[in-house]
Amino acid sequence: MAYQPQVIDAKIVSHNPKNGLFEIVAQLKDRTVCRLIYETDAAGQPQATHINRLLKEPCPICRKDFLCNCMTKYKEDISAQALNLAGAPA
């Protein structure tokens, strides 16, 4: 079965208006917590550049309890859901 991430909570944890960078911490339905790093493009739209899984739970995909890059495959899906919940900073 393919992994389908569901964001249940998201909040902006840092924002730098000078360069347009901001971070959102998103909690998924399977208790995984991820940090998404965004930058704004030329049109002013937020674009996710990085995703990191915070090491509170093992990875739901590979079950490793240390750093892995599994969440990068789902960055766009998680990013869209997190932006819908938290919104972009003003």
Side-chain angles (χ1 to χ4, degrees), residues 53-82:
R53 181 177 56 85
L54 301 179
L55 300 174
K56 296 183 178 189
E57 293 287 328
C59 177
I61 300 163
C62 68
R63 303 308 302 167
K64 290 181 181 174
D65 199 21
F66 50 89
L67 292 177
C68 65
N69 293 321
C70 296
M71 290 296 172
T72 57
K73 299 174 193 169
Y74 305 98
K75 176 175 66 173
E76 298 303 321
D77 189 23
I78 295 171
S79 170
Q81 293 179 41

Side-chain angles (χ1 to χ4, degrees), residues 37-55:
I37 301 169
Y38 292 87
E39 65 181 19
T40 53
D41 59 9
Q45 298 297 320
Q47 183 71 28
T49 58
H50 295 86
I51 186 169
N52 298 325
R53 181 177 56 85
L54 301 179
L55 300 174

Side-chain angles (χ1 to χ4, degrees), residues 7-12 24-27 81-83 85-86:
V7 177
I8 59 170
D9 186 31
K11 58 186 165 194
I12 297 172
I24 292 180
V25 171
Q27 183 174 3
Q81 293 179 41
L83 277 176
L85 288 174

